[in-house]
Amino acid sequence: MKIFAETERLILRELMPADAEGMFELNSDPDVHRYLGNKPVTSIEQSIAEIEFIRKQYVENGIGRWAVIEKTSGNFLGWSGLKLITETTNNHINYYDLGYRFSKRFWGKGYATETAMAVIDYGFTELKLNEIIGIADINNLGSIHVLEKVGLRRVSVFDYDGTKHLWMKIENQPSLIKR
């Protein structure tokens, strides 16, 4: 099991098949999916398949979303990380998307911001990326706040599956990265 990053409170490691129950808790919650197309999973098998899909991305793309584990408890909180997007979105292709998702019982504790900062640092220092993109439903004020807090700036509004979203970006320039 590979650990990609650590923060004061968290471990960001590869997603493992043993994370299926935590992924099911996360992705079966309609509140978690409010700004994600409102399509929560309905079976643990869907969570197992999602983990397999992400693990395949590690091999094919060298990156994928990571499990977020609380150091003190060992709890699976959700996931955070980069994903190489190889389909065209907002007239862009082959870009690295910063994403995060946490089980509702872990909301409001600063984990999204903490992991997003670690992910950006990894993307710029380890992967030597020039830029990292963030996409958020224009009504998802919490996620937009996190992206802005870690240094992404609003670039444009675009239609994503029939819903208006913000296209946000941070470039690999130390003066733009908030740490």
Side-chain angles (χ1 to χ4, degrees):
M1 167 182 54
K2 182 174 180 180
I3 294 175
F4 293 93
E6 286 191 52
T7 69
E8 185 177 326
R9 302 183 295 167
L10 307 170
I11 295 170
L12 285 76
R13 63 156 170 79
E14 66 182 294
L15 276 159
M16 305 294 293
D19 297 321
E21 284 184 33
M23 286 288 277
F24 181 70
E25 175 190 338
L26 171 70
N27 287 321
S28 63
D29 186 333
D31 288 339
V32 171
H33 278 263
R34 180 175 179 193
Y35 300 110
L36 304 171
N38 290 313
K39 297 176 187 171
V41 300
T42 57
S43 72
I44 190 93
E45 289 76 21
Q46 289 173 289
S47 296
I48 292 167
E50 182 179 10
I51 291 170
E52 289 172 4
F53 177 74
I54 293 168
R55 290 183 61 76
K56 187 177 173 188
Q57 291 173 1
Y58 297 154
V59 174
E60 293 176 356
N61 303 326
I63 196 70
R65 309 299 196 193
W66 305 326
V68 178
I69 308 299
E70 188 176 47
K71 286 181 177 179
T72 57
S73 68
N75 285 333
F76 175 91
L77 308 181
W79 57 255
S80 187
L82 295 170
K83 179 180 179 182
L84 176 63
I85 305 296
T86 57
E87 311 85 40
T88 300
T89 308
N90 192 28
N91 299 313
H92 294 82
I93 193 167
N94 294 325
Y95 61 90
Y96 289 86
D97 173 66
L98 168 62
Y100 38 81
R101 191 176 303 169
F102 293 90
S103 292
K104 187 168 44 181
R105 63 189 167 118
F106 301 113
W107 289 1
K109 300 180 185 297
Y111 294 136
T113 300
E114 189 172 330
T115 61
M117 289 189 316
V119 168
I120 289 169
D121 184 59
Y122 184 91
F124 288 155
T125 60
E126 300 297 321
L127 300 179
K128 309 292 187 218
L129 301 179
N130 293 322
E131 66 180 21
I132 294 172
I133 301 301
I135 297 172
D137 182 309
I138 62 167
N139 296 307
N140 191 345
L141 302 180
S143 190
I144 293 167
H145 176 72
V146 168
L147 292 171
E148 289 179 329
K149 191 172 182 180
V150 299
L152 279 79
R153 61 178 176 77
R154 299 175 190 214
V155 176
S156 64
V157 175
F158 71 103
D159 180 81
Y160 186 70
D161 292 336
T163 304
K164 295 219 177 288
H165 279 67
L166 279 174
W167 181 269
M168 301 176 73
K169 175 171 74 170
I170 186 170
E171 296 174 343
N172 190 357
Q173 297 175 11
S175 63
L176 294 178
I177 302 171
K178 295 181 180 179
R179 292 200 170 119

XYZ file of all heavy atoms in Angstrom, residues 38-96:
479
model
N -26.695 13.772 -8.402
C -27.730 13.079 -7.625
C -27.894 11.618 -8.032
O -28.997 11.140 -8.257
C -29.070 13.818 -7.742
C -29.037 15.145 -7.020
O -28.584 15.226 -5.886
N -29.497 16.188 -7.697
N -26.754 10.904 -8.083
C -26.789 9.489 -8.439
C -26.025 8.654 -7.416
O -24.991 8.057 -7.723
C -26.184 9.278 -9.830
C -26.955 9.968 -10.934
C -26.263 9.813 -12.260
C -26.970 10.657 -13.302
N -26.228 10.721 -14.547
N -26.511 8.595 -6.166
C -25.802 7.786 -5.167
C -25.828 6.302 -5.542
O -26.754 5.834 -6.219
C -26.577 8.043 -3.873
C -27.866 8.651 -4.269
C -27.705 9.230 -5.632
N -24.805 5.587 -5.108
C -24.760 4.149 -5.365
C -25.782 3.441 -4.483
O -26.192 3.961 -3.437
C -23.345 3.568 -5.152
C -22.342 4.220 -6.089
C -22.899 3.685 -3.711
N -26.167 2.259 -4.892
C -27.180 1.499 -4.155
C -26.678 0.142 -3.671
O -27.404 -0.574 -2.995
C -28.430 1.297 -5.027
O -28.048 0.644 -6.238
C -29.086 2.638 -5.359
N -25.426 -0.206 -4.023
C -24.898 -1.499 -3.585
C -23.400 -1.402 -3.308
O -22.700 -0.582 -3.908
C -25.150 -2.581 -4.647
O -24.297 -2.375 -5.760
N -22.934 -2.258 -2.434
C -21.508 -2.318 -2.115
C -20.712 -2.732 -3.353
O -19.569 -2.320 -3.540
C -21.236 -3.257 -0.908
C -19.781 -3.118 -0.428
C -21.518 -4.694 -1.249
C -19.592 -2.131 0.655
N -21.340 -3.509 -4.229
C -20.668 -3.947 -5.459
C -20.275 -2.750 -6.324
O -19.220 -2.760 -6.972
C -21.553 -4.918 -6.247
C -21.697 -6.288 -5.614
C -22.644 -6.317 -4.405
O -23.500 -5.412 -4.277
O -22.518 -7.248 -3.588
N -21.107 -1.711 -6.332
C -20.767 -0.499 -7.094
C -19.531 0.173 -6.499
O -18.686 0.689 -7.238
C -21.946 0.472 -7.092
C -23.118 0.011 -7.951
C -24.314 0.925 -7.757
O -24.946 0.906 -6.700
N -24.618 1.721 -8.772
N -19.409 0.157 -5.180
C -18.238 0.743 -4.526
C -16.990 -0.084 -4.802
O -15.911 0.471 -5.032
C -18.479 0.866 -3.021
O -19.544 1.763 -2.784
N -17.128 -1.384 -4.803
C -16.003 -2.266 -5.136
C -15.537 -1.984 -6.562
O -14.337 -1.856 -6.825
C -16.391 -3.750 -4.946
C -16.600 -4.038 -3.456
C -15.346 -4.675 -5.560
C -17.278 -5.375 -3.165
N -16.485 -1.847 -7.487
C -16.141 -1.560 -8.885
C -15.467 -0.199 -9.021
O -14.524 -0.037 -9.815
C -17.401 -1.625 -9.758
N -15.913 0.794 -8.245
C -15.301 2.121 -8.307
C -13.847 2.066 -7.827
O -12.968 2.682 -8.433
C -16.084 3.127 -7.466
C -15.503 4.521 -7.547
C -16.269 5.563 -6.754
O -17.171 5.209 -5.971
O -15.942 6.744 -6.915
N -13.595 1.330 -6.761
C -12.218 1.185 -6.265
C -11.349 0.507 -7.320
O -10.214 0.943 -7.574
C -12.199 0.425 -4.922
C -12.826 1.301 -3.827
C -10.767 0.014 -4.545
C -13.090 0.578 -2.522
N -11.875 -0.536 -7.961
C -11.118 -1.219 -9.021
C -10.811 -0.259 -10.162
O -9.701 -0.260 -10.713
C -11.899 -2.431 -9.528
C -11.959 -3.566 -8.536
C -12.904 -4.694 -8.969
O -13.466 -4.624 -10.087
O -13.076 -5.634 -8.178
N -11.792 0.597 -10.538
C -11.613 1.579 -11.602
C -10.508 2.578 -11.230
O -9.640 2.901 -12.043
C -12.942 2.301 -11.856
C -12.864 3.383 -12.888
C -12.769 3.072 -14.241
C -12.894 4.723 -12.515
C -12.697 4.068 -15.201
C -12.830 5.732 -13.460
C -12.725 5.409 -14.813
N -10.512 3.051 -9.991
C -9.493 4.011 -9.550
C -8.117 3.345 -9.492
O -7.118 3.936 -9.915
C -9.887 4.632 -8.194
C -11.133 5.517 -8.377
C -8.727 5.425 -7.588
C -11.805 5.959 -7.087
N -8.074 2.110 -9.023
C -6.786 1.395 -8.959
C -6.222 1.185 -10.369
O -5.008 1.228 -10.567
C -6.936 0.077 -8.198
C -7.173 0.323 -6.694
C -7.254 -0.960 -5.892
N -6.031 -1.736 -5.968
C -4.908 -1.446 -5.320
N -4.830 -0.378 -4.551
N -3.847 -2.224 -5.440
N -7.083 1.005 -11.339
C -6.653 0.888 -12.740
C -6.047 2.216 -13.210
O -5.071 2.221 -13.963
C -7.848 0.492 -13.613
C -7.501 0.175 -15.031
C -8.746 -0.284 -15.793
C -8.432 -0.447 -17.257
N -9.633 -0.707 -18.049
N -6.588 3.349 -12.739
C -6.038 4.658 -13.093
C -4.617 4.823 -12.552
O -3.770 5.447 -13.197
C -6.923 5.785 -12.550
C -8.252 5.886 -13.241
C -9.164 6.897 -12.566
O -8.795 7.551 -11.588
N -10.361 7.021 -13.094
N -4.344 4.275 -11.371
C -2.988 4.349 -10.822
C -1.990 3.732 -11.817
O -0.910 4.269 -12.029
C -2.862 3.584 -9.498
C -3.696 4.066 -8.340
C -4.053 3.177 -7.332
C -4.115 5.383 -8.210
C -4.793 3.588 -6.238
C -4.862 5.802 -7.118
C -5.200 4.903 -6.142
O -5.937 5.315 -5.060
N -2.379 2.606 -12.391
C -1.499 1.887 -13.318
C -1.419 2.612 -14.663
O -0.328 2.846 -15.191
C -1.996 0.430 -13.519
C -1.189 -0.280 -14.586
C -1.949 -0.324 -12.198
N -2.572 2.995 -15.210
C -2.607 3.577 -16.550
C -2.136 5.025 -16.594
O -1.513 5.445 -17.572
C -4.028 3.494 -17.123
C -4.468 2.075 -17.396
C -5.903 1.969 -17.863
O -6.620 2.993 -17.907
O -6.320 0.837 -18.197
N -2.444 5.804 -15.558
C -2.160 7.245 -15.583
C -1.136 7.691 -14.544
O -0.775 8.865 -14.506
C -3.451 8.046 -15.376
C -4.506 7.707 -16.400
O -4.202 7.414 -17.554
N -5.756 7.740 -15.998
N -0.740 6.780 -13.659
C 0.219 7.139 -12.622
C -0.376 7.978 -11.500
O 0.349 8.444 -10.627
N -1.701 8.167 -11.519
C -2.365 8.989 -10.509
C -3.838 8.605 -10.460
O -4.375 8.042 -11.409
C -2.185 10.508 -10.818
C -2.516 11.377 -9.619
C -2.981 10.909 -12.044
C -1.546 11.300 -8.498
N -4.457 8.911 -9.361
C -5.892 8.686 -9.162
C -6.263 9.197 -7.783
O -5.401 9.639 -7.028
N -7.533 9.161 -7.465
C -7.972 9.643 -6.151
C -7.389 8.746 -5.057
O -7.182 7.553 -5.254
C -9.500 9.626 -6.070
C -10.227 10.301 -7.213
C -9.910 11.762 -7.359
N -10.927 12.382 -8.224
C -10.828 13.564 -8.759
N -9.763 14.304 -8.571
N -11.795 14.045 -9.516
N -7.149 9.341 -3.874
C -6.539 8.624 -2.760
C -7.498 8.520 -1.580
O -8.279 9.426 -1.320
C -5.298 9.355 -2.275
C -4.256 9.633 -3.301
C -3.920 8.858 -4.372
C -3.399 10.764 -3.351
N -2.899 9.441 -5.071
C -2.566 10.626 -4.471
C -3.243 11.891 -2.552
C -1.593 11.550 -4.819
C -2.273 12.823 -2.896
C -1.460 12.653 -4.011
N -7.383 7.442 -0.848
C -8.128 7.295 0.400
C -7.586 8.290 1.417
O -6.375 8.515 1.500
C -7.979 5.879 0.953
N -8.485 8.890 2.190
C -8.096 9.797 3.261
C -8.386 9.085 4.581
O -9.537 8.729 4.865
C -8.864 11.136 3.189
C -8.473 12.039 4.357
C -8.606 11.835 1.856
N -7.335 8.886 5.361
C -7.416 8.148 6.611
C -7.019 9.068 7.764
O -5.963 9.716 7.709
C -6.476 6.912 6.592
C -6.719 6.056 5.345
C -6.590 6.118 7.886
C -8.113 5.477 5.217
N -7.849 9.104 8.794
C -7.534 9.890 9.982
C -6.472 9.145 10.791
O -6.650 7.963 11.117
C -8.809 10.094 10.806
C -8.645 11.039 11.958
C -9.970 11.259 12.667
O -10.679 10.260 12.953
O -10.281 12.427 12.940
N -5.379 9.825 11.100
C -4.269 9.174 11.801
C -4.663 8.648 13.173
O -4.292 7.526 13.533
C -3.094 10.145 11.955
C -2.324 10.396 10.695
C -1.159 11.348 10.958
C -0.323 11.566 9.728
N 0.793 12.507 9.978
N -5.389 9.435 13.958
C -5.668 9.039 15.337
C -6.619 7.858 15.445
O -6.487 7.040 16.341
C -6.234 10.214 16.155
O -7.406 10.705 15.517
C -5.208 11.322 16.298
N -7.588 7.760 14.532
C -8.604 6.710 14.631
C -8.451 5.601 13.598
O -8.992 4.514 13.776
C -10.000 7.326 14.463
O -10.159 7.800 13.132
N -7.761 5.893 12.502
C -7.697 4.935 11.400
C -8.944 4.944 10.545
O -9.085 4.128 9.637
N -9.870 5.872 10.802
C -11.124 5.944 10.041
C -10.890 6.344 8.594
O -10.080 7.220 8.302
C -12.084 6.980 10.653
C -12.741 6.500 11.905
O -12.914 5.301 12.118
N -13.119 7.435 12.770
N -11.650 5.710 7.696
C -11.721 6.112 6.296
C -12.682 7.292 6.247
O -13.858 7.161 6.584
C -12.245 4.949 5.449
C -12.472 5.289 4.006
C -11.461 5.103 3.071
C -13.690 5.786 3.575
C -11.666 5.408 1.730
C -13.905 6.089 2.235
C -12.896 5.907 1.320
N -12.185 8.468 5.855
C -13.004 9.680 5.845
C -13.624 9.954 4.484
O -14.657 10.620 4.385
C -12.159 10.895 6.244
C -11.356 10.795 7.531
C -10.603 12.089 7.783
C -12.245 10.455 8.699
N -12.961 9.495 3.439
C -13.391 9.770 2.072
C -12.190 9.684 1.155
O -11.259 8.930 1.429
N -12.224 10.463 0.090
C -11.078 10.475 -0.819
C -10.753 11.895 -1.255
O -11.567 12.795 -1.166
C -11.274 9.563 -2.018
C -12.471 9.800 -2.892
C -13.604 9.040 -2.932
C -12.675 10.837 -3.873
N -14.483 9.547 -3.864
C -13.927 10.654 -4.462
C -11.900 11.915 -4.309
C -14.441 11.488 -5.454
C -12.410 12.751 -5.300
C -13.660 12.524 -5.864
N -9.520 12.045 -1.742
C -9.033 13.319 -2.251
C -7.913 12.988 -3.216
O -7.296 11.934 -3.108
C -8.512 14.183 -1.101
O -8.168 15.480 -1.524
N -7.669 13.869 -4.161
C -6.544 13.613 -5.048
C -6.737 14.179 -6.429
O -7.684 14.919 -6.699
N -5.815 13.801 -7.292
C -5.834 14.232 -8.676
C -6.335 13.110 -9.567
O -6.143 11.934 -9.266
C -4.420 14.624 -9.128
C -3.807 15.827 -8.437
C -2.334 15.948 -8.800
C -4.558 17.094 -8.809
N -6.953 13.502 -10.663
C -7.390 12.550 -11.675
C -7.036 13.150 -13.028
O -7.324 14.325 -13.282
C -8.901 12.327 -11.571
C -9.449 11.370 -12.611
C -10.949 11.182 -12.453
C -11.488 10.244 -13.509
N -12.947 10.087 -13.387
N -6.396 12.351 -13.864
C -6.131 12.773 -15.227
C -7.425 12.619 -16.017
O -7.953 11.507 -16.141
C -5.013 11.939 -15.856
C -4.724 12.227 -17.324
C -4.238 13.665 -17.527
C -3.701 11.231 -17.867
N -7.937 13.721 -16.536
C -9.183 13.703 -17.308
C -8.817 13.631 -18.782
O -8.174 14.541 -19.322
C -10.044 14.957 -17.015
C -10.303 15.101 -15.518
C -11.337 14.909 -17.822
C -11.120 13.989 -14.878
N -9.217 12.537 -19.422
C -8.836 12.298 -20.812
C -9.988 12.520 -21.797
O -9.817 12.295 -22.991
C -8.277 10.867 -20.974
O -9.270 9.935 -20.529
C -7.006 10.684 -20.160
N -11.149 12.948 -21.276
C -12.264 13.312 -22.148
C -12.321 14.844 -22.189
O -11.927 15.504 -21.245
C -13.615 12.809 -21.630
C -13.690 11.360 -21.209
C -13.233 11.132 -19.775
O -13.547 11.943 -18.889
O -12.536 10.143 -19.562
N -12.887 15.381 -23.257
C -13.006 16.834 -23.375
C -14.058 17.361 -22.400
O -15.182 16.871 -22.361
C -13.372 17.237 -24.811
O -12.343 16.766 -25.685
C -13.485 18.741 -24.956
N -13.662 18.349 -21.621
C -14.548 19.056 -20.699
C -14.253 20.536 -20.854
O -13.088 20.940 -20.741
C -14.286 18.633 -19.233
O -14.330 17.217 -19.124
C -15.301 19.250 -18.290
N -15.263 21.337 -21.109
C -15.094 22.782 -21.250
C -13.962 23.106 -22.245
O -13.130 23.967 -22.002
C -14.832 23.426 -19.882
C -14.939 24.933 -19.912
O -15.654 25.498 -20.719
N -14.210 25.586 -19.023
N -13.933 22.343 -23.330
C -12.927 22.510 -24.398
C -11.491 22.228 -23.943
O -10.544 22.724 -24.542
C -13.017 23.911 -25.025
C -14.372 24.160 -25.650
O -14.883 23.310 -26.378
N -14.973 25.288 -25.350
N -11.324 21.445 -22.888
C -10.002 21.046 -22.399
C -9.939 19.519 -22.364
O -10.946 18.845 -22.129
C -9.750 21.594 -20.991
C -9.666 23.077 -20.942
N -10.773 23.891 -20.890
C -8.597 23.905 -20.934
C -10.404 25.152 -20.853
N -9.084 25.185 -20.873
N -8.748 19.002 -22.554
C -8.526 17.556 -22.507
C -7.153 17.302 -21.889
O -6.266 18.153 -21.980
C -8.663 16.922 -23.915
C -8.751 15.396 -23.817
C -7.572 17.386 -24.847
C -9.204 14.727 -25.102
N -6.990 16.134 -21.278
C -5.723 15.725 -20.665
C -5.241 16.736 -19.626
O -4.105 17.199 -19.658
C -4.654 15.475 -21.731
C -5.005 14.289 -22.599
O -5.585 13.313 -22.128
N -4.667 14.363 -23.870
N -6.116 17.023 -18.678
C -5.775 17.925 -17.584
C -5.931 17.178 -16.261
O -6.587 16.138 -16.189
C -6.662 19.186 -17.601
C -8.133 18.911 -17.433
C -8.713 18.873 -16.165
C -8.955 18.677 -18.530
C -10.056 18.612 -15.996
C -10.309 18.411 -18.374
C -10.845 18.378 -17.105
O -12.187 18.107 -16.943
N -5.315 17.713 -15.226
C -5.375 17.104 -13.903
C -6.397 17.847 -13.054
O -6.277 19.044 -12.824
C -3.991 17.122 -13.241
C -3.051 16.150 -13.902
C -2.325 16.525 -15.024
C -2.926 14.848 -13.429
C -1.472 15.630 -15.652
C -2.077 13.940 -14.046
C -1.362 14.341 -15.168
O -0.523 13.437 -15.779
